Amino acid sequence: MKGSPNSVLRTDGSLRKKRRFGTPGKPLSHGSSSQSVQAQRAGLPIATGKRALIEEIRKNDVSILVGETGSGKTTQVPQYLLESGIAGQGMIAVTQPRKVAATSLAARVATEQNVSVGSLVGYSVRFDEASSDETRIKYVTDGMLVRELLGDPLLSRYSVVIVDEAHERTLRTDLLITNLKDIQRRRNSPSDVKGKSSAAKLNPLNVSQPDYVDAAMRTFFQIHTDQPPGDVLIFLPGQEDIEGLERSIQLYVDRLPKDIPSIVVCPMYAALPPSQQARIFTLAPAGYRKCILATNIAETSITIPGIRYVIDTGKCKEKRYVARDSGTGFDTLLTRDITKSSAMQRAGRAGREGPGFCFRLYTEDAFDAMAESAEPEIRRCALTSSMLQLRCLGQDIEELDFMDKPDQEAIGAALKTLYLLGALDNKRCLTKLGRDMAVFPLEPNLARAVVASREFGCTLEVIDIVSVLSASSKLFFDSTDEREAASEARRKFRHRSGDHMTVLNVVRAYQVVAAAEKKSGRREWCKRQFLNERCLAEAQDIRDQLREVCTRMQIDWKTSCGEDEQPVLKCLVRGLVQHAAYLQPDGSYKQLMGPSIVKIHPSSSLCDKKVPVIIYDELVYTTHIYGRGVSAVPRSYIAEVPVLNVKGT
Ligand code: CDP
Ligand code: MG
């Protein structure tokens, strides 16, 4: 609770010794990065413990490091290890649960080493990598390192693996720790790093506020008009709330009296493009107050300087697995109360450089009612993708020595999904198909569609669609302001079969524009069509990577089915077979493999249509259960799914 524990896990000593070059303990000369950066490094709380830390890590195969956020664990420890020579010629991996933390930390540490990202210091996250033969410190997402296990079960390229933010207990981190335990003897040596923050003064509410976004806005303007200078950090659950609050604040800014300082609003969430994320680290111009709107990403993963005031809505989004009686289920993001541990972390973000204040938009009773800390992801998320990866490593999720064992129900659901996708046979053994699927850095259902495209001759099209579905932001904005104009603009992309082919039409149109226009032209075009350019640009990167994977697997990604949508839909059915629903006499849809009644999401091009069978990308829970990303498919396509076929005969 007091800080974020990082475990420093070293691979075995023999490897280390064999690989050690140069004089151990002698610092590698790092370039002359600006003196202020070096002074800042030397002033971090962790710097006083540097020598002891290196000694501990040198002596022990496993070390657990606990320290306050901002004390220098993530940025400094890898550099200390590099300088001390402990890592020998191998790489130092530092895992992060989030992509944006990995990339921004790599940038920071590269600056401290006075090198460019991708040389000595690099990163590797899904669909993006900056590293080279020179790279010695690599910030990676925990998921990427799990993926690396598939090709290199001993992680032999790394002499040190730092499992950062281990307390978050993401599914991938748990998987990684289980595997790391497997490949080394385990010894523990806790050592403490003292933090330097002055505790923030807490201001809880007396009455609870149901509309936390509105409460956050009012609190912010009270601070802004009444309190001395100092930046404000507001914690909100997710991107939508952040965007909503940003708009509201901007509206009010124009009406502020002249004598009140101006405001710079900086959003911060995982899906934000790196160029915009960088803004939160830059100082606001003189006379301005910076207001950062962030998700729990700013709790521990990212340290933002200059924060004096924290506003904590007490909410976060949490991925949760919704189990269904039928033994199937899915992950969904739910807004929920944070834990006590998060609340303390949030308060701790204020006043790192002086007295700080935390405004909690919840009562003390609400705080007391919070859980101590978050339930590990392995206990609440879908296991499908991890189970497939483990099977490829020859491991069985039920037999592994986890810190917390996954739920039997979730295991059953994952097994069922993998069986329906054809990745496991009826003896639960990995199939060739399953092995092929695991090569793609995609959710298993989308990987299944791509693999199927080889058989149906439409890899070009399926990859284009899957890339958009795998992007971190949505293609279409759900904006309510210009709904009419947006749907008008979208009409020309519509395909009668539904949303997947509509996505393909958009991608095709964008590709023509992207080939002909510069950046500004593309942006203009997307704006006119009410399309999210960020999604399309990201999808193109993903597409290029998927094409590379196909080439490696000798799947010809240029194979196209032209204008015929049928092969594409057949592939999608193979992947989304669990997401099929049949029209009922009353106009609703009933899941083929579950008990739920599903409506077509209002954003779908099929929203007001009555088609006999649909498949959907995901379920959304609001007043009803909605299927989003919907296509109409002939009933026969479902019957043709091999697994269902076997059952039927
Ligand atoms: O991992 P831990 O929370 O202990 O701290 P860190 O991420 O290593 O950050 C140490 C210090 O580096 C922070 O207090 C910031 O002052 C600075 N930092 C920064 O200026 N920009 C970053 N992107 C990351 C860290
Ligand atoms: Mg850290």
Side-chain angles (χ1 to χ4, degrees):
M1 211 152 73
K2 143 164 166 277
S4 46
N6 307 30
S7 19
V8 181
L9 297 143
R10 289 214 332 251
T11 51
D12 73 279
S14 61
L15 182 76
R16 207 174 63 237
K17 279 185 201 106
K18 232 184 288 165
R19 290 186 160 211
R20 187 183 296 160
F21 284 72
T23 324
K26 184 169 170 252
L28 294 175
S29 62
H30 49 71
S32 52
S33 68
S34 86
Q35 283 194 328
S36 72
V37 170
Q38 290 314 325
Q40 204 183 338
R41 281 191 70 191
L44 287 171
I46 201 167
T48 52
K50 174 174 174 178
R51 191 187 298 241
L53 195 65
I54 293 172
E55 261 334 288
E56 286 298 328
I57 295 172
R58 201 186 286 284
K59 279 197 308 228
N60 299 290
D61 278 344
V62 180
S63 310
I64 297 177
L65 173 60
V66 182
E68 294 244 6
T69 305
S71 55
K73 301 180 298 297
T74 311
T75 54
Q76 303 310 305
V77 174
Q79 298 185 75
Y80 293 172
L81 296 183
L82 187 67
E83 290 163 11
S84 71
I86 284 181
Q89 288 292 294
M91 272 195 287
I92 299 168
V94 189
T95 70
Q96 296 292 323
R98 297 181 198 79
K99 232 170 152 167
V100 20
T103 52
S104 74
L105 284 161
R108 168 70 190 183
V109 174
T111 307
E112 292 185 7
Q113 289 282 334
N114 201 24
V115 297
S116 53
V117 180
S119 56
L120 183 72
V121 184
Y123 65 82
S124 169
V125 301
R126 186 162 84 137
F127 302 130
D128 190 12
E129 160 141 29
S131 73
S132 62
D133 293 344
E134 273 178 75
T135 304
R136 304 294 311 287
I137 296 177
K138 197 155 96 175
Y139 287 86
V140 296
T141 47
D142 44 12
M144 274 315 284
L145 209 57
V146 169
R147 186 155 276 284
E148 276 195 41
L149 277 171
L150 295 178
D152 179 7
L154 288 174
L155 294 179
S156 55
R157 298 197 299 152
Y158 302 95
S159 25
V160 181
V161 175
I162 301 178
V163 182
D164 202 356
E165 311 289 357
H167 67 287
E168 281 195 32
R169 301 290 310 277
T170 65
L171 176 55
R172 311 286 166 183
T173 290
D174 272 16
L175 271 182
L176 196 60
I177 291 176
T178 300
N179 272 284
L180 287 172
K181 271 200 294 196
D182 220 37
I183 48 178
Q184 67 167 181
R185 266 177 312 143
R186 185 173 171 183
R187 278 184 286 162
N188 268 337
S189 172
S191 68
D192 267 86
V193 176
K194 280 224 172 67
K196 63 169 175 189
S197 70
S198 37
K201 188 174 177 312
L202 298 176
N203 303 289
L205 286 182
N206 295 325
V207 278
S208 63
Q209 296 284 340
D211 186 346
Y212 55 82
V213 178
D214 184 58
M217 186 173 77
R218 282 183 286 116
T219 309
F220 169 71
F221 279 104
Q222 266 165 24
I223 295 172
H224 186 57
T225 47
D226 297 349
Q227 301 290 331
D231 295 342
V232 182
L233 170 60
I234 308 181
F235 283 101
L236 292 144
Q239 180 177 347
E240 283 125 65
D241 285 332
I242 288 176
E243 286 171 348
L245 184 56
E246 183 181 7
R247 271 196 300 273
S248 312
I249 292 180
Q250 297 291 12
L251 279 177
Y252 276 86
V253 165
D254 300 337
R255 300 185 209 152
L256 284 177
K258 287 264 172 322
D259 55 331
I260 302 267
S262 226
I263 298 166
V264 191
V265 184
C266 306
M268 182 68 202
Y269 46 84
L272 198 69
S275 58
Q276 289 189 44
Q277 286 170 9
R279 285 178 61 219
I280 66 164
F281 298 111
T282 55
L283 283 180
Y288 280 76
R289 192 194 294 271
K290 192 160 72 172
C291 173
I292 297 161
L293 314 179
T295 59
N296 53 3
I297 192 163
E299 264 173 36
T300 57
S301 302
I302 280 178
T303 335
I304 306 161
I307 303 296
R308 182 135 187 221
Y309 308 96
V310 163
I311 302 175
D312 178 11
T313 58
K315 302 281 177 196
C316 66
K317 281 212 173 178
E318 188 181 76
K319 196 155 77 166
R320 222 166 228 287
Y321 181 76
V322 178
R324 293 270 145 218
D325 313 341
S326 56
T328 60
F330 48 88
D331 280 338
T332 181
L333 273 177
L334 297 175
T335 299
R336 54 165 294 159
D337 291 341
I338 57 170
T339 60
K340 284 187 182 138
S341 142
S342 287
M344 318 277 263
Q345 284 291 354
R346 289 179 177 196
R349 302 298 82 225
R352 309 209 59 84
E353 291 117 19
F357 303 87
C358 174
F359 296 82
R360 288 182 165 164
L361 304 183
Y362 44 89
T363 60
E364 266 179 84
D365 286 348
F367 176 81
D368 291 337
M370 286 173 182
E372 288 299 325
S373 54
E375 198 179 357
E377 235 178 45
I378 198 166
R379 303 275 310 149
R380 57 182 165 84
C381 288
L383 302 170
T384 321
S385 170
S386 304
M387 188 182 281
L388 180 60
Q389 286 175 334
L390 288 174
R391 281 297 155 107
C392 291
L393 288 168
Q395 296 173 0
D396 190 341
I397 207 164
E398 283 159 286
E399 282 163 18
L400 285 177
D401 177 21
F402 285 112
M403 283 182 274
D404 285 280
K405 284 226 177 278
D407 213 47
Q408 207 52 46
E409 204 178 343
I411 291 178
L415 282 170
K416 180 166 177 183
T417 299
L418 291 177
Y419 171 71
L420 287 169
L421 292 175
L424 298 181
D425 63 18
N426 55 10
K427 298 201 175 59
R428 298 182 176 194
C429 292
L430 185 69
T431 61
K432 160 87 170 53
L433 187 61
R435 204 169 278 284
D436 286 351
M437 281 163 57
V439 179
F440 289 91
L442 293 169
E443 284 303 312
N445 55 354
L446 297 182
R448 177 68 180 98
V450 176
V451 174
S453 74
R454 172 160 45 182
E455 183 186 334
F456 294 107
C458 52
T459 307
L460 192 73
E461 288 78 15
V462 171
I463 284 186
D464 277 346
I465 296 172
V466 162
S467 303
V468 170
L469 301 185
S470 302
S472 49
S473 49
K474 289 201 207 101
L475 177 57
F476 301 114
F477 297 107
D478 284 341
S479 137
T480 42
D481 316 342
E482 299 161 307
R483 187 165 278 170
E484 290 286 302
S487 84
E488 185 55 40
R490 241 175 254 171
R491 189 155 297 145
K492 62 180 156 304
F493 300 117
R494 270 200 188 168
H495 191 280
R496 64 192 139 70
S497 71
D499 300 332
H500 295 97
M501 290 303 291
T502 301
V503 165
L504 183 61
N505 285 340
V506 172
V507 175
R508 282 172 168 164
Y510 178 73
Q511 280 166 356
V512 173
V513 176
E517 300 275 353
K518 290 208 173 59
K519 213 169 172 179
S520 58
R522 283 177 233 168
R523 180 165 310 150
E524 222 4 79
W525 183 83
C526 288
K527 215 169 159 185
R528 273 202 315 273
Q529 316 298 333
F530 293 88
L531 296 168
N532 184 357
E533 199 216 346
R534 196 196 313 152
C535 170
L536 284 165
E538 189 189 345
Q540 288 221 341
D541 285 345
I542 296 174
R543 177 200 68 187
D544 292 345
Q545 295 196 32
L546 294 179
R547 287 179 177 179
E548 271 174 40
V549 177
C550 281
T551 306
R552 278 211 308 276
M553 297 180 70
Q554 293 172 332
I555 299 176
D556 182 5
W557 58 260
K558 294 192 200 73
T559 313
S560 162
C561 57
E563 292 309 306
D564 182 5
E565 78 275 13
Q566 292 178 24
V568 177
L569 293 176
K570 285 185 180 179
C571 295
L572 291 169
V573 166
R574 294 289 155 97
L576 298 173
V577 60
Q578 274 184 304
H579 294 180
Y582 286 33
L583 184 67
Q584 304 294 297
D586 68 355
S588 65
Y589 287 85
K590 184 176 174 308
Q591 288 179 317
L592 169 66
M593 296 193 193
S596 295
I597 300 296
V598 176
K599 288 190 171 186
I600 296 179
H601 196 268
S603 69
S604 170
S605 57
L606 291 181
C607 176
D608 41 10
K609 306 276 189 303
K610 300 270 171 272
V611 294
V613 184
I614 57 166
I615 51 170
Y616 50 82
D617 292 326
E618 58 179 353
L619 290 181
V620 183
Y621 281 77
T622 51
T623 41
H624 296 282
I625 304 177
Y626 287 109
R628 185 153 59 190
V630 180
S631 283
V633 294
R635 196 178 289 262
S636 62
Y637 290 7
I638 309 267
E640 280 166 24
V641 173
V643 176
L644 303 181
N645 243 333
V646 173
K647 255 185 169 172
T649 52

